[in-house]
Amino acid sequence: MSLDNGDDKRPSSARIAIWVVVGGIGAYLLISGILGILARGGA
């Protein structure tokens, strides 16, 4: 399985699902970190 197959430009549904999960985890960590800094710094 090559990473750059020229015939199909759309990513597979499995790859989209992986990126959604990874992006969700990253967004959760980022938002919780920002809220933690704001909660500690603001109080």
Side-chain angles (χ1 to χ4, degrees):
M1 181 174 133
S2 65
L3 290 175
D4 50 349
N5 46 357
D7 54 347
D8 191 10
K9 294 297 182 186
R10 286 185 63 245
S12 65
S13 57
R15 183 169 295 183
I16 293 175
I18 291 171
W19 277 110
V20 167
V21 170
V22 170
I25 294 172
Y28 168 75
L29 292 175
L30 185 66
I31 292 172
S32 64
I34 291 174
L35 290 179
I37 291 172
L38 289 178
R40 255 182 269 138

